[in-house]
Structures are given as structure tokens and as C-alpha cells.
Amino acid sequence: MERLAVIDMGSNSWRLVVYGYEPGTAWWSLTDEIREAVRVGAGMGEDDTLKPEPMERAVHTAAVFASFCRASGVERIEPVATSAIRDASNRDELLDRIRESTGLEVRVISGEDEARYGYVAIANSTTITDGYGIDLGGGSVQLMRIVGRRPGEAVSLPLGSIRMSERFLPGEKAPSKAIKALRAHVKEQVAALDWWGGGGRLVGIGGTIRNLAAAAQKRMDFPDVDVGGFELTAGALDELIELLAAKPASKRGNVSGIKPDRADVILGGALVVATAMEVGGHDTLEVSEAGLREGIFLGHVLEERDPPLFEDVRRQSVENLAHRFNSDADHVNHVARLSLEMFDGLREAGLHDHGDEERELLWAACLLHDIGTAIDYDDHHRHSHYLILHAGLPGFTPRELVLVGLIARYHRKGDPDASELGDLERDGDQRRLELLCGVIRLAEQLERSRDQSVAGVRIGSANGAVVLEPRQDGGGADLTVAIWAARRNADLLAGALDRPVEVAP
Amino acid sequence: MERLAVIDMGSNSWRLVVYGYEPGTAWWSLTDEIREAVRVGAGMGEDDTLKPEPMERAVHTAAVFASFCRASGVERIEPVATSAIRDASNRDELLDRIRESTGLEVRVISGEDEARYGYVAIANSTTITDGYGIDLGGGSVQLMRIVGRRPGEAVSLPLGSIRMSERFLPGEKAPSKAIKALRAHVKEQVAALDWWGGGGRLVGIGGTIRNLAAAAQKRMDFPDVDVGGFELTAGALDELIELLAAKPASKRGNVSGIKPDRADVILGGALVVATAMEVGGHDTLEVSEAGLREGIFLGHVLEERDPPLFEDVRRQSVENLAHRFNSDADHVNHVARLSLEMFDGLREAGLHDHGDEERELLWAACLLHDIGTAIDYDDHHRHSHYLILHAGLPGFTPRELVLVGLIARYHRKGDPDASELGDLERDGDQRRLELLCGVIRLAEQLERSRDQSVAGVRIGSANGAVVLEPRQDGGGADLTVAIWAARRNADLLAGALDRPVEVAP
């Protein structure tokens, strides 16, 4: 496994992130991370100079990060600096001090490059093809357009959460006049972009946006999952702004989901996001957990592609996760094949009317249903569920993630319960889950001996019952286990279809 | 990885269990399992002949298991039959039919061998050195003595749960007269063993005992862990017996923890266990999740040893789990070294009076604290906790398992809360956890760069504060990260010691 460290010297927090990856493949994971709230841009608003204390913190943190890389033997390091350092008149002083004390050659990236890395992060962690992206940092905000999965217009504006907070909301209180002034300032600059808005999806990245999403999520009846794919509505954001504005700045970090070290800049950041959404006519902001650092990392590992994109983000997420837990690829792919054949056959027979969305979730659950055996064979369906929810699947919404987790959870036994979706439950989910779990459960049993002896399943009918007809390729295989196992696991599907399910012969 | 399948043809259930292992090492795990309630011994009580229907079920199940092994390519198969088949006058008919239809050569093991495999399972899954074992099956019960970890006296008695239930409790009701008669019958045979009882630990194995433990556990405020190491008290068992006896036989499977297919024999089994405990003077039965199948499997992989035992069950459990999740062995062993040095140093300085028990739990948590990174670096402390609780650690009691899990859970952040132990909480646990988590947290930070640059830690004092003095071997290493990281993570230990904790220099 190769390792690459990215040091993201943001205006608010600095992060050292170490990625492990297998060159030539798409397998990767984050293996270590140190975060430090350096706040290098603190107080630089008026004269664009880095102040002595933040500079001290910056040099010290750079030394810590460099030591870490040296000590842990990570040789490829990409240190990049963004808005606060980029815009500082005395930035060379800081960069010289860092170079002298640590040997790190920091690359100061332009606003354009920053937006470009944001695009790479967004396009590799969501399914967006056409729409917009927003990356809110402490010093600047990057707004960008995405057209056919390729980068479109992009801009970096000096409207970061620290900058706006220091300028408009410097005190403990947030007077409504100051809030209005902040919004007007942001609106003026964003409205000048004639390409911003006008429909299409909007994806947001950066720590402020992740914190706002986490806070909104915690105010809902939400399953225990990360914020990746969460849809932050304009209404929920307005509620959060009201809640935050009513508290003194020093107490805003007490709101569940908000990191205490962002207490004084979270409201300013929220107002920038809300205003950009309003100007662009966006009701919803999808959140990605990726960021500048993933943009830089993926730019490296996918450098032979232009733009550096995974072909299919969801497929990549699912296969990466299955690979990490050493699933038996022949087995899980065959369970997927049998499941999809049954799903399609039942649809053709008019027995359900679910579509491509459910079909894809079923496929994902099939690939992941056994990853829990890495924990323990006993109850491995429960462990697969835990792993799916917590190891994450970029490109899937929380609702989709939870559905995939539940299909895997009930692939062997138990009765699925749609109420586990909490506020993510929609009409028909109980029946939807029963059908999908009923199908995977039969596919798993038809492939119980893990040898692909059942090559396929035809859907027939007889006397009002649905008849599954296992098919062999070539013949001669022993279907004893498959038929024995499938027959005793047909109840769930029968219930979902409201008729008996038989396994031929 | 090699695979070995054990087919356990018990009097009640049959199981096919596939184990994966790396020959020449101690790493193993269970990779697949099929269980079938064959009940081969049903109805054979009066004339010791296997009845036609159970025999049909047996032949069919053998065919299914054999197909599974063939299809999934498991070549080494150990099929063994116990009490019901052993004692049947027509057993050759069954074995011939199985041989003809499946090719399986079933080995009928003697009562003596059955007890011996039970001993191997018990001695490799608990820390017992001197005491007793009980293995309750459907046809027979094996009682054994363990002396200095070696097998002592052993016997197999025809007092299995099916046999006793069919003879004494054949109906829906359980009249107290019938219960008394069953107990008297068991007592007579067990009391004749002059070596049974007289103090020392008692360990129980087998499905009936696991179910009784699960039922008792579910009636407590118990963390979500398996029954391995659970201590079933005579009082709790008596309560369960009362509860079960008050229900008709067909409803006894509704008691949470009891498998429905054991409904009609669980009470008979419970009475056998209770009587054996009473005769032996045992107040408590420790439960092991291992069984005959692990006895057979471990007998193979440890065959070069006599008896086939792991040297140290707990160490083996912890190292096996750390190995399965690819922990960075240098790092975790070094965190353990630093933690134990601090633990000892603080004890010598009179700052706590915890002993070897806490020391061992701290060691185990250190080896396992990072296994959660296999799931996701984010929140890996939570994932380590999940893995420890659910992947299991044979040889540790549930209380110890939960403590190890909590120490790992709080190795980076958060405030440990002893109430997560539920009914397993004991006096002083809150302080105990704070101290152990405080120590591992500092050790982890002193080894933050994973390079063992801090070779050790001396405990000093100055002005009422505890001073940790990191030590280098040879010198020249860069301790920047270690000291920076440790200083910001000393609060928990300071709270546990009620005094400031400083990191020198």
C-alpha cells in the first residue's frame, strides 16, 4: 500500500490527512488524520497581514505535522495553503519560517485551483452531473458550476466564515442589522455572477457546511449515520440561523453538531451559505464529506484521467467497501445476479412496480451483505449493517445508505422494519423493504453453497403461487442445498407479494 | 488459509461448521455454519432405536451438509455422532444410509471421547485451571473434572435434555411431581460420582446452557454482548425454571433467549443443570460459547501439543482479534508498553491501588484500541468498541469484555461512563475507567507519530502535580509531536488522580 499525506492549511483549521491506496486500482482509505484549529487568518481582515499569534500557531502546527510525517515514514507530502495565506501581504515570511523549521515546501494555491480541487472532490463523492458546488472556508468561498460532470465556471470570493464573522459579527451578540449587512454584502458579490443558480443540484463541502448539516441532522429523528449525502433544506438552515443568532457567540458551540472551535464563526458561515442558496434559487444543499484534501489526493491517484474522475461514483463506493472487507467476490456478485434476475422477473410478471432506484439499492446490498463476517459469522447480518452505515458509501444519500444497510441486515432472517428509517421513511417503505429483503434472502439461499450452481432463476406461476425455477448451466450440478435452503426462506417474499412462493422442482 | 469442516450430529441439533485457519499459527475463525434441528434422538427413549421419521430427517440433512462441503470445496470434513446415534441399536442402518447417499464416513464417538472434546473446548475458551465442566446435549450429559488445566475424571451419563424431557415431562404441562422425579433421577446418578463437586469453578457448554444463559441475560440490564463468560447463578436458573414450568411446553420457546425449536426440551435441560449444580455445591455456572465442534477443531490445529491447549487463552483471544483487523503491531504493542509503565509508576507513587486485573484489561485495550480503523478512521474509537464487544474475546467475562471495550472506546476523546456496564457495574468503576482511559489516552498521544520515539515514561512530581517524563533510547528522536499531543490530552488522567498532570520538559 502506498501512502500520501495532504496538509491542508486552511484559514480556519489545518489538517494533516494520510491516505493509503493501491496504485493502479481504485482502492483507497483514509488512514490517519490530525486536525488543529490554527485560525491562521484570525484578525487579518483589516490590513491583510497575518498576525503574530496566529503565525506562531501556524509554525508550531507545521512542525508537528512535519514531525508526524517524518516519524511515521510518510514520504509523499502535499502541503497546500489557501485563502488566508494566499491573500496575506506577509505570507512569504510565514512560508520561509515553515520551510526553515520543517523543510516543508508549501504550495499556495490560487482561488481558481482551490475551486478546481473542490470540483474534483464533489464530482467524485456525489452523483452530480449538472449543477453547482459551494466550498466554504474560513477565508474564501468557492462557487462553481458543473456541466456534464466536467468543471464549468468557477470563482473564489473573499467571503469566508472567519472573514465575514470578523467584519460583520465581531461581538457576542448578532444584531439583526449586522446580519442584514452581511447578507447584503454576500448577495451583492454572488448576484454579480450571471451563471450562478437557475436550477440544478447544489453540493456543498467544507467544515462549516458539514457542521451545519450535522446540527440539522441532530434536530431530526435520524439514523446514526454521517452527514455524507445529507440534504440540508433552506428551511432547516434558516431555523439553525435563528437558533444560533439567539445565542451569544461563545455559546454557539454548544449546539449539538457544531464543533466548539467554530462557535464564533459558524453563524457568519451559515449566513454566507443561506445567501448563496437564496441568490441561486436553491432550496436544498447536498452535503459531501469530501473536501479540498480529497480533491488533491484523488487528483493524484486518478491523474491519468482528465478530469480525474471515477467512472461511476456509487459503483466505486460499493466495490471499494466490499473489497476492504474481503468479500467472496464470486459469491456476492452471483447473489446480485440472481437477485436482479428475480427482481426483473417479478416486475415483468406484474408483481411489483419498483424501478431502477430500488434495483440499484438491491445490487449494492448484495455486494455488501456478507462484509459483517469479517467481524463474526454469528450475527454477521447485523455486523454488515453496522459496517455499511459507518464505513460509508459516498454517492448515496443517507436514506439510500440506510436502505442498503437494512436490506443487508435482513438478508438471512428477521422481519425488516421501515421505522428504522426515522424521518427518512417514505410511503410504501415497509412493503419496499419486504420485497427487496425477500428477494435477496432467496438469492442468498439459492447460492447457499457458494458455488454458483444455480445459474439463474425463472419466474413462473402455478395455481396462484409464484414459482421460482432455478436453472443450471450445463447441468450435472447438485442443487440439493439450494432448493432445500430456498424453500425454507420464502416466507418473507411470499408476504411481500401476497401470494405463496414455491421453489421448483 | 486452510479450511476444516466439523459436522456435529448431536441428539438434538446438527451443525456443519467451517473453520478457517493459518496452519502453524494460532489465527483462526469460524467462516460458515448451517444448523438444523434434526432431533435424531426423538422418540427413541423406550427401546433405544432410531425412529423412521428422525432417520429420514438425518439422512436428508447429511445430504445437504455433504453437498455444501462438495460445492464450496471444503475437503477436510470431520463428521461425528454422539449420544443418540451411539446408543441406538439400529445405528448401523443410519450410518450405512448416510455413507451410501453422501460418502460421509461418520465417526461415532464414545462418551469418554465426547467428554474429552468438551474438556478441550472448555480449557481453550476459559481461564479455568482447576474445577469442573458440564456439557449438556440432547441425549447425554458429560461431567468432567479439570486439574491443573489437564483432564481429570470424566463421565457421560444418559441424562440429556431430550431424553429427560421425553421420559419425565412428555406433556404440555410440567407437574411438580414430574419435576421432582426428574431431579431425583438425575441426583441419584450424579451423586454417585464421588469426584463431582467440592468447590472450584464450573464451566458449562452446549446449546441448552447457552440458551439458558441468554434468557437469564435478557432479564438483566445487560450490555449487548454474547453469552461467552456469562455467570449463570443458581438463583437465576431457579427463576428461569419457575418461569418455564409455569408455561405450557409449546410456549416455552417464547421466552426471550430460548430458541423455539428447543421449547419442549429446555425445561428438562434446565432441571438437569440445576440438579448437577446442586449436587456439586456450585452456586455459579460460567458459560462458554465453545462446544464439541471447537474441541474437535482445536484438537486438530493444536495436535502437536498434549493436551491440545493454547498457552494463554486470554492472550490468544486478544492477539487473534488484533491480527484479524491488521493492527499496526509495533504501534499497539508500544502503546501497551507505555500504558503499563505509567500504570505501574502511578501505583508505585501511591496514586492508585488497582491491581493485576486492571493491568491486564488495560493491556488488552491497548492491543485492540485501533482495530476500528478497519471500518473508518473517523470515529474509529467507537468502531473499536463495537468490534471488541461483537467479535468477542474468549476467556474474558462479559464485565471484563465491556471494560476492555470502554477503555478502547475512550482512548482518544470523550468522558467514560461506567453506567454503560448496566448490571455489571461495580463500586468504583467510574474512577477505575477514568484512570485506565486517562492512561491509555496519554500513551496513545506519546506514541502519536507511531514511531516508538518515546521509549518510556517516568512518573515524577513537582509542586503537587504529577509529571510524566518521556524517555528516549539513544536520543536524537524528535519528540515534538509526542509532547504536543500528550499535553493537550492530560485532563482525563488529571481528573482521575485529582491533581494536575504535566508532561516534561
Side-chain angles (χ1 to χ4, degrees), chain B residues 438-475:
Chain B
V439 168
I440 190 177
R441 192 173 293 184
L442 277 164
E444 166 78 343
Q445 298 303 332
L446 289 170
E447 167 61 2
R448 185 67 186 85
S449 49
R450 300 168 169 273
D451 64 343
Q452 296 86 57
S453 58
V454 173
V457 199
R458 226 184 62 83
I459 303 293
S461 69
N463 307 321
V466 175
V467 181
L468 306 182
E469 299 166 15
R471 194 180 67 237
Q472 298 187 44
D473 271 351

Side-chain angles (χ1 to χ4, degrees), chain B residues 40-101:
Chain B
V40 68
M44 71 179 280
E46 288 146 44
D47 56 357
D48 272 351
T49 58
L50 298 165
K51 296 290 172 280
E53 277 192 42
M55 219 186 293
E56 277 309 313
R57 290 197 296 268
V59 172
H60 181 71
T61 303
V64 167
F65 287 5
S67 293
F68 182 92
C69 291
R70 212 163 27 241
S72 56
V74 179
E75 285 170 11
R76 294 182 62 195
I77 311 173
E78 278 272 352
V80 296
T82 53
S83 172
I85 297 175
R86 174 167 71 225
D87 299 341
S89 56
N90 58 343
R91 75 183 201 191
D92 288 344
E93 184 192 337
L94 175 65
L95 300 181
D96 287 347
R97 284 180 61 189
I98 289 177
R99 186 183 308 108
E100 279 160 29
S101 61

Side-chain angles (χ1 to χ4, degrees), chain A residues 371-425:
Chain A
I371 57 176
T373 56
I375 299 181
D376 196 8
Y377 185 85
D378 278 357
D379 282 338
H380 69 258
H381 49 291
R382 280 176 61 198
H383 306 320
S384 296
H385 177 246
Y386 183 91
L387 290 175
I388 291 167
L389 263 60
H390 295 290
L393 289 177
F396 290 83
T397 65
R399 174 180 151 79
E400 292 168 333
L401 180 71
V402 174
L403 284 170
V404 171
L406 288 173
I407 301 167
R409 166 74 179 78
Y410 293 101
H411 85 269
R412 300 169 73 196
K413 47 180 152 179
D415 297 315
D417 179 359
S419 74
E420 294 187 41
L421 285 155
D423 286 347
L424 299 173
E425 185 178 352

Side-chain angles (χ1 to χ4, degrees), chain A residues 232-294:
Chain A
L232 179 64
T233 63
L237 181 55
D238 285 345
E239 275 177 36
L240 273 179
I241 287 173
E242 209 170 299
L243 178 78
L244 291 166
K247 289 181 189 289
S250 56
K251 302 277 185 201
R252 288 175 200 147
N254 298 342
V255 173
S256 180
I258 307 296
K259 278 205 163 74
D261 62 30
R262 291 189 192 275
D264 56 336
V265 298
I266 190 72
L267 176 60
L271 289 164
V272 174
V273 175
T275 308
M277 286 175 71
E278 188 191 317
V279 172
H282 294 288
D283 295 332
T284 306
L285 174 71
E286 295 170 41
V287 177
S288 164
E289 289 191 292
L292 176 69
R293 359 182 221 291
E294 277 78 23

Side-chain angles (χ1 to χ4, degrees), chain A residues 30-36 60-61 63-68 70-72 224 226 289 321 324-325 373-379 382-384 386-387 390-392 412 448-451 453 478 480-481 484 488, chain B residues 30-36 60-61 63-68 70-72 224 226 289 321 324-325 373-379 382-384 386-387 390-392 412 448-451 453 478 480-481 484 488:
Chain A
L30 191 163
T31 63
D32 216 331
E33 179 169 351
I34 309 183
R35 173 181 183 271
E36 181 66 5
H60 181 70
T61 303
V64 167
F65 287 5
S67 292
F68 182 91
R70 214 166 22 244
S72 56
D224 176 25
D226 290 335
E289 289 191 292
L321 187 54
R324 280 175 51 204
F325 291 99
T373 56
I375 299 181
D376 196 8
Y377 185 85
D378 278 357
D379 282 338
R382 280 176 61 198
H383 306 320
S384 296
Y386 183 91
L387 290 175
H390 295 290
R412 300 169 73 196
R448 185 67 185 86
S449 49
R450 300 170 170 269
D451 64 344
S453 58
D478 175 358
T480 315
V481 176
W484 169 83
R488 48 171 58 193
Chain B
L30 191 162
T31 64
D32 215 331
E33 178 168 355
I34 309 183
R35 173 181 182 270
E36 180 67 4
H60 181 71
T61 303
V64 167
F65 287 5
S67 293
F68 182 92
R70 212 163 27 241
S72 56
D224 177 24
D226 290 334
E289 290 191 292
L321 188 54
R324 281 176 50 205
F325 291 98
T373 56
I375 298 181
D376 195 8
Y377 186 84
D378 278 357
D379 282 338
R382 280 177 60 198
H383 306 320
S384 296
Y386 183 89
L387 290 175
H390 296 290
R412 298 170 74 197
R448 185 67 186 85
S449 49
R450 300 168 169 273
D451 64 343
S453 58
D478 176 355
T480 314
V481 176
W484 168 83
R488 47 172 55 195

Side-chain angles (χ1 to χ4, degrees), chain B residues 245-258:
Chain B
K247 289 181 189 288
S250 56
K251 302 276 185 202
R252 288 175 201 147
N254 299 343
V255 173
S256 179
I258 306 297

Side-chain angles (χ1 to χ4, degrees), chain B residues 158-465:
Chain B
L159 303 173
S161 60
I162 299 180
R163 215 182 282 252
M164 291 300 96
S165 298
E166 290 191 345
R167 174 159 168 194
F168 291 97
L169 302 166
E172 275 284 273
K173 291 196 175 169
S176 58
K177 214 171 126 187
I179 290 178
K180 274 188 195 151
L182 192 163
R183 292 195 114 160
H185 178 76
V186 173
K187 190 168 181 175
E188 190 192 341
Q189 297 208 30
V190 176
L193 308 169
D194 58 4
W195 51 267
W196 179 253
R201 292 161 64 176
L202 172 65
V203 179
I205 61 175
T208 298
I209 286 173
R210 283 196 302 276
N211 275 229
L212 291 169
Q217 196 166 299
K218 291 205 188 277
R219 290 159 59 81
M220 297 169 65
D221 171 16
F222 215 84
D224 177 24
V225 294
D226 290 334
V227 296
F230 180 76
E231 298 181 338
L232 179 64
T233 63
L237 182 55
D238 285 344
E239 276 176 35
L240 274 178
I241 288 173
E242 209 170 303
L243 178 79
L244 291 165
K247 289 181 189 288
S250 56
K251 302 276 185 202
R252 288 175 201 147
N254 299 343
V255 173
S256 179
I258 306 297
K259 280 205 163 73
D261 62 29
R262 290 189 193 276
D264 57 337
V265 300
I266 190 72
L267 175 60
L271 290 164
V272 175
V273 176
T275 309
M277 286 174 72
E278 188 193 317
V279 173
H282 294 288
D283 295 332
T284 306
L285 174 71
E286 295 171 41
V287 178
S288 164
E289 290 191 292
L292 176 69
R293 348 175 232 297
E294 276 78 23
I296 290 173
F297 166 70
L298 293 173
H300 270 282
V301 295
L302 300 171
E303 62 191 343
E304 79 287 1
R305 302 188 181 197
D306 181 28
L309 297 183
F310 292 121
E311 238 169 76
D312 181 327
V313 170
R314 294 193 184 209
R315 178 169 284 274
Q316 150 66 17
S317 292
V318 171
E319 290 178 348
N320 192 32
L321 188 54
H323 174 82
R324 281 176 50 205
F325 291 98
N326 300 316
S327 283
D328 174 346
D330 290 341
H331 170 65
V332 300
N333 279 306
H334 199 67
V335 169
R337 211 168 295 129
L338 296 176
S339 290
L340 298 183
E341 191 177 346
M342 278 190 273
F343 179 89
D344 294 342
L346 293 168
R347 182 164 53 182
E348 278 161 32
L351 292 164
H352 73 78
D353 57 1
H354 298 299
D356 289 348
E357 199 188 321
E358 285 84 359
R359 195 175 190 278
E360 189 187 9
L361 300 180
L362 179 60
W363 166 81
C366 289
L367 258 77
L368 300 172
H369 73 282
D370 270 350
I371 57 176
T373 56
I375 298 181
D376 195 8
Y377 186 84
D378 278 357
D379 282 338
H380 69 258
H381 48 290
R382 280 177 60 198
H383 306 320
S384 296
H385 178 246
Y386 183 89
L387 290 175
I388 291 167
L389 263 58
H390 296 290
L393 290 176
F396 290 83
T397 65
R399 174 181 152 79
E400 291 167 334
L401 179 71
V402 174
L403 284 170
V404 171
L406 288 173
I407 300 167
R409 165 72 179 78
Y410 294 100
H411 84 268
R412 298 170 74 197
K413 47 180 152 179
D415 297 314
D417 178 359
S419 74
E420 295 187 41
L421 285 155
D423 285 347
L424 298 174
E425 186 177 350
R426 293 198 198 143
D427 275 357
D429 273 348
Q430 184 59 36
R431 295 283 285 189
R432 180 175 283 117
L433 270 175
E434 285 168 7
L435 179 89
L436 298 172
C437 296
V439 168
I440 190 177
R441 192 173 293 184
L442 277 164
E444 166 78 343
Q445 298 303 332
L446 289 170
E447 167 61 2
R448 185 67 186 85
S449 49
R450 300 168 169 273
D451 64 343
Q452 296 86 57
S453 58
V454 173
V457 199
R458 226 184 62 83
I459 303 293
S461 69
N463 307 321

Side-chain angles (χ1 to χ4, degrees), chain A residues 128-392:
Chain A
I128 194 168
T129 50
D130 295 285
Y132 302 86
I134 176 170
D135 173 10
L136 178 62
S140 62
V141 63
Q142 285 66 244
L143 301 177
M144 67 207 81
R145 192 168 169 192
I146 297 172
V147 184
R149 277 195 96 201
R150 299 188 72 88
E153 294 90 339
V155 68
S156 177
L157 302 171
L159 303 173
S161 61
I162 297 181
R163 216 183 284 251
M164 292 299 95
S165 298
E166 289 191 346
R167 173 157 167 195
F168 292 98
L169 302 166
E172 274 284 274
K173 290 196 178 173
S176 58
K177 213 171 127 186
I179 290 178
K180 274 187 195 152
L182 191 163
R183 292 194 105 142
H185 177 76
V186 173
K187 190 169 181 174
E188 190 191 341
Q189 298 207 32
V190 176
L193 309 170
D194 57 5
W195 52 267
W196 179 253
R201 292 161 62 176
L202 172 65
V203 179
I205 60 176
T208 298
I209 287 174
R210 283 197 302 277
N211 274 230
L212 291 169
Q217 196 166 299
K218 291 206 187 276
R219 290 159 59 80
M220 297 170 67
D221 172 16
F222 215 84
D224 176 25
V225 294
D226 290 335
V227 296
F230 181 75
E231 299 181 339
L232 179 64
T233 63
L237 181 55
D238 285 345
E239 275 177 36
L240 273 179
I241 287 173
E242 209 170 299
L243 178 78
L244 291 166
K247 289 181 189 289
S250 56
K251 302 277 185 201
R252 288 175 200 147
N254 298 342
V255 173
S256 180
I258 307 296
K259 278 205 163 74
D261 62 30
R262 291 189 192 275
D264 56 336
V265 298
I266 190 72
L267 176 60
L271 289 164
V272 174
V273 175
T275 308
M277 286 175 71
E278 188 191 317
V279 172
H282 294 288
D283 295 332
T284 306
L285 174 71
E286 295 170 41
V287 177
S288 164
E289 289 191 292
L292 176 69
R293 359 182 221 291
E294 277 78 23
I296 291 172
F297 166 69
L298 293 173
H300 269 282
V301 294
L302 299 171
E303 63 191 344
E304 80 286 3
R305 303 188 180 197
D306 180 30
L309 297 183
F310 291 121
E311 238 168 75
D312 181 327
V313 170
R314 292 193 186 210
R315 178 169 284 275
Q316 151 67 17
S317 292
V318 172
E319 290 178 348
N320 193 32
L321 187 54
H323 174 83
R324 280 175 51 204
F325 291 99
N326 300 315
S327 284
D328 174 346
D330 290 340
H331 169 66
V332 300
N333 279 305
H334 199 67
V335 168
R337 212 169 293 130
L338 297 176
S339 290
L340 298 182
E341 191 178 346
M342 278 191 272
F343 179 88
D344 294 343
L346 292 168
R347 181 164 54 183
E348 278 161 30
L351 291 164
H352 72 78
D353 57 1
H354 297 299
D356 288 348
E357 200 189 318
E358 285 84 357
R359 196 175 189 278
E360 189 186 9
L361 300 180
L362 179 60
W363 166 80
C366 288
L367 258 77
L368 301 172
H369 74 281
D370 271 349
I371 57 176
T373 56
I375 299 181
D376 196 8
Y377 185 85
D378 278 357
D379 282 338
H380 69 258
H381 49 291
R382 280 176 61 198
H383 306 320
S384 296
H385 177 246
Y386 183 91
L387 290 175
I388 291 167
L389 263 60
H390 295 290

